[in-house]
PDB file of all heavy atoms in Angstrom:
ATOM      1  N   LYS A 166     -76.752 141.347 177.001  1.00 77.00           N
ATOM      2  CA  LYS A 166     -77.752 140.388 176.452  1.00 77.00           C
ATOM      3  C   LYS A 166     -79.199 140.883 176.474  1.00 77.00           C
ATOM      4  O   LYS A 166     -79.988 140.410 175.662  1.00 77.00           O
ATOM      5  CB  LYS A 166     -77.583 139.137 177.386  1.00 77.00           C
ATOM      6  CG  LYS A 166     -78.296 137.874 176.831  1.00 77.00           C
ATOM      7  CD  LYS A 166     -78.010 136.569 177.664  1.00 77.00           C
ATOM      8  CE  LYS A 166     -78.681 136.666 179.080  1.00 77.00           C
ATOM      9  NZ  LYS A 166     -78.548 135.367 179.765  1.00 77.00           N
ATOM     10  N   ASN A 167     -79.356 141.937 177.367  1.00 73.00           N
ATOM     11  CA  ASN A 167     -80.743 142.508 177.209  1.00 73.00           C
ATOM     12  C   ASN A 167     -80.967 143.416 176.050  1.00 73.00           C
ATOM     13  O   ASN A 167     -82.209 143.755 175.803  1.00 73.00           O
ATOM     14  CB  ASN A 167     -80.766 143.378 178.579  1.00 73.00           C
ATOM     15  CG  ASN A 167     -80.951 142.685 179.738  1.00 73.00           C
ATOM     16  OD1 ASN A 167     -81.864 141.935 180.044  1.00 73.00           O
ATOM     17  ND2 ASN A 167     -79.876 142.783 180.740  1.00 73.00           N
ATOM     18  N   LEU A 168     -80.036 143.523 175.219  1.00 78.00           N
ATOM     19  CA  LEU A 168     -80.267 144.260 173.857  1.00 78.00           C
ATOM     20  C   LEU A 168     -81.262 143.459 173.046  1.00 78.00           C
ATOM     21  O   LEU A 168     -81.930 144.003 172.142  1.00 78.00           O
ATOM     22  CB  LEU A 168     -79.002 144.472 173.186  1.00 78.00           C
ATOM     23  CG  LEU A 168     -78.054 145.455 173.788  1.00 78.00           C
ATOM     24  CD1 LEU A 168     -76.715 145.461 172.927  1.00 78.00           C
ATOM     25  CD2 LEU A 168     -78.647 146.890 173.702  1.00 78.00           C
ATOM     26  N   ASN A 169     -81.489 142.115 173.257  1.00 76.00           N
ATOM     27  CA  ASN A 169     -82.383 141.355 172.495  1.00 76.00           C
ATOM     28  C   ASN A 169     -83.793 141.813 172.778  1.00 76.00           C
ATOM     29  O   ASN A 169     -84.793 141.506 171.992  1.00 76.00           O
ATOM     30  CB  ASN A 169     -82.116 139.869 172.712  1.00 76.00           C
ATOM     31  CG  ASN A 169     -82.532 139.410 174.156  1.00 76.00           C
ATOM     32  OD1 ASN A 169     -82.985 140.152 174.909  1.00 76.00           O
ATOM     33  ND2 ASN A 169     -82.179 138.191 174.436  1.00 76.00           N
ATOM     34  N   ILE A 170     -84.120 142.472 173.918  1.00 72.00           N
ATOM     35  CA  ILE A 170     -85.392 142.892 174.081  1.00 72.00           C
ATOM     36  C   ILE A 170     -85.812 144.041 173.030  1.00 72.00           C
ATOM     37  O   ILE A 170     -86.897 144.059 172.557  1.00 72.00           O
ATOM     38  CB  ILE A 170     -85.541 143.671 175.436  1.00 72.00           C
ATOM     39  CG1 ILE A 170     -85.337 142.561 176.645  1.00 72.00           C
ATOM     40  CG2 ILE A 170     -86.888 144.285 175.730  1.00 72.00           C
ATOM     41  CD1 ILE A 170     -85.371 143.047 177.961  1.00 72.00           C
ATOM     42  N   ILE A 171     -84.746 144.890 172.671  1.00 76.00           N
ATOM     43  CA  ILE A 171     -84.994 145.881 171.672  1.00 76.00           C
ATOM     44  C   ILE A 171     -85.284 145.307 170.353  1.00 76.00           C
ATOM     45  O   ILE A 171     -86.139 145.609 169.537  1.00 76.00           O
ATOM     46  CB  ILE A 171     -83.801 146.867 171.661  1.00 76.00           C
ATOM     47  CG1 ILE A 171     -83.686 147.597 173.039  1.00 76.00           C
ATOM     48  CG2 ILE A 171     -83.999 147.971 170.441  1.00 76.00           C
ATOM     49  CD1 ILE A 171     -82.345 148.547 172.916  1.00 76.00           C
ATOM     50  N   SER A 172     -84.318 144.300 170.011  1.00 78.00           N
ATOM     51  CA  SER A 172     -84.510 143.610 168.596  1.00 78.00           C
ATOM     52  C   SER A 172     -85.917 143.005 168.565  1.00 78.00           C
ATOM     53  O   SER A 172     -86.484 142.947 167.543  1.00 78.00           O
ATOM     54  CB  SER A 172     -83.362 142.779 168.298  1.00 78.00           C
ATOM     55  OG  SER A 172     -83.302 141.658 169.387  1.00 78.00           O
ATOM     56  N   THR A 173     -86.296 142.220 169.793  1.00 74.00           N
ATOM     57  CA  THR A 173     -87.480 141.507 169.699  1.00 74.00           C
ATOM     58  C   THR A 173     -88.617 142.439 169.469  1.00 74.00           C
ATOM     59  O   THR A 173     -89.622 142.173 168.712  1.00 74.00           O
ATOM     60  CB  THR A 173     -87.678 140.755 170.958  1.00 74.00           C
ATOM     61  OG1 THR A 173     -86.554 139.786 171.159  1.00 74.00           O
ATOM     62  CG2 THR A 173     -88.977 139.863 170.956  1.00 74.00           C
ATOM     63  N   GLY A 174     -88.588 143.555 170.207  1.00 75.00           N
ATOM     64  CA  GLY A 174     -89.764 144.576 170.075  1.00 75.00           C
ATOM     65  C   GLY A 174     -89.835 145.095 168.807  1.00 75.00           C
ATOM     66  O   GLY A 174     -91.065 145.217 168.272  1.00 75.00           O
ATOM     67  N   VAL A 175     -88.774 145.519 168.231  1.00 78.00           N
ATOM     68  CA  VAL A 175     -88.869 146.106 166.844  1.00 78.00           C
ATOM     69  C   VAL A 175     -89.319 145.158 165.736  1.00 78.00           C
ATOM     70  O   VAL A 175     -90.137 145.385 164.926  1.00 78.00           O
ATOM     71  CB  VAL A 175     -87.496 146.706 166.422  1.00 78.00           C
ATOM     72  CG1 VAL A 175     -87.515 147.221 165.049  1.00 78.00           C
ATOM     73  CG2 VAL A 175     -87.098 147.799 167.388  1.00 78.00           C
ATOM     74  N   LEU A 176     -88.822 143.910 165.979  1.00 78.00           N
ATOM     75  CA  LEU A 176     -89.216 142.864 164.954  1.00 78.00           C
ATOM     76  C   LEU A 176     -90.634 142.451 165.133  1.00 78.00           C
ATOM     77  O   LEU A 176     -91.267 142.057 164.199  1.00 78.00           O
ATOM     78  CB  LEU A 176     -88.232 141.614 165.170  1.00 78.00           C
ATOM     79  CG  LEU A 176     -86.838 141.833 164.587  1.00 78.00           C
ATOM     80  CD1 LEU A 176     -85.902 140.662 165.096  1.00 78.00           C
ATOM     81  CD2 LEU A 176     -86.812 141.967 163.050  1.00 78.00           C
ATOM     82  N   TYR A 177     -91.120 142.520 166.449  1.00 73.00           N
ATOM     83  CA  TYR A 177     -92.533 142.281 166.661  1.00 73.00           C
ATOM     84  C   TYR A 177     -93.474 143.171 165.760  1.00 73.00           C
ATOM     85  O   TYR A 177     -94.460 142.862 165.270  1.00 73.00           O
ATOM     86  CB  TYR A 177     -92.891 142.430 168.141  1.00 73.00           C
ATOM     87  CG  TYR A 177     -93.039 141.174 168.861  1.00 73.00           C
ATOM     88  CD1 TYR A 177     -92.154 140.820 169.852  1.00 73.00           C
ATOM     89  CD2 TYR A 177     -94.117 140.246 168.632  1.00 73.00           C
ATOM     90  CE1 TYR A 177     -92.326 139.625 170.529  1.00 73.00           C
ATOM     91  CE2 TYR A 177     -94.383 139.193 169.351  1.00 73.00           C
ATOM     92  CZ  TYR A 177     -93.363 138.867 170.283  1.00 73.00           C
ATOM     93  OH  TYR A 177     -93.472 137.657 171.039  1.00 73.00           O
ATOM     94  N   GLN A 178     -93.078 144.553 165.893  1.00 75.00           N
ATOM     95  CA  GLN A 178     -93.803 145.469 165.084  1.00 75.00           C
ATOM     96  C   GLN A 178     -93.610 145.379 163.596  1.00 75.00           C
ATOM     97  O   GLN A 178     -94.665 145.506 162.794  1.00 75.00           O
ATOM     98  CB  GLN A 178     -93.355 146.890 165.525  1.00 75.00           C
ATOM     99  CG  GLN A 178     -94.052 148.010 164.798  1.00 75.00           C
ATOM    100  CD  GLN A 178     -93.849 149.315 165.576  1.00 75.00           C
ATOM    101  OE1 GLN A 178     -93.800 149.367 166.846  1.00 75.00           O
ATOM    102  NE2 GLN A 178     -93.953 150.474 164.764  1.00 75.00           N
ATOM    103  N   MET A 179     -92.471 144.978 163.153  1.00 78.00           N
ATOM    104  CA  MET A 179     -92.264 144.807 161.650  1.00 78.00           C
ATOM    105  C   MET A 179     -92.884 143.664 161.094  1.00 78.00           C
ATOM    106  O   MET A 179     -93.444 143.578 159.987  1.00 78.00           O
ATOM    107  CB  MET A 179     -90.718 144.864 161.400  1.00 78.00           C
ATOM    108  CG  MET A 179     -90.059 146.174 161.620  1.00 78.00           C
ATOM    109  SD  MET A 179     -88.145 146.015 161.642  1.00 78.00           S
ATOM    110  CE  MET A 179     -88.112 145.542 159.754  1.00 78.00           C
TER     111      MET A 179
END
Side-chain angles (χ1 to χ4, degrees):
K166 195 169 70 169
N167 288 291
L168 289 172
N169 64 10
I170 296 176
I171 299 176
S172 63
T173 302
V175 173
L176 289 167
Y177 258 113
Q178 181 160 332
M179 292 174 59

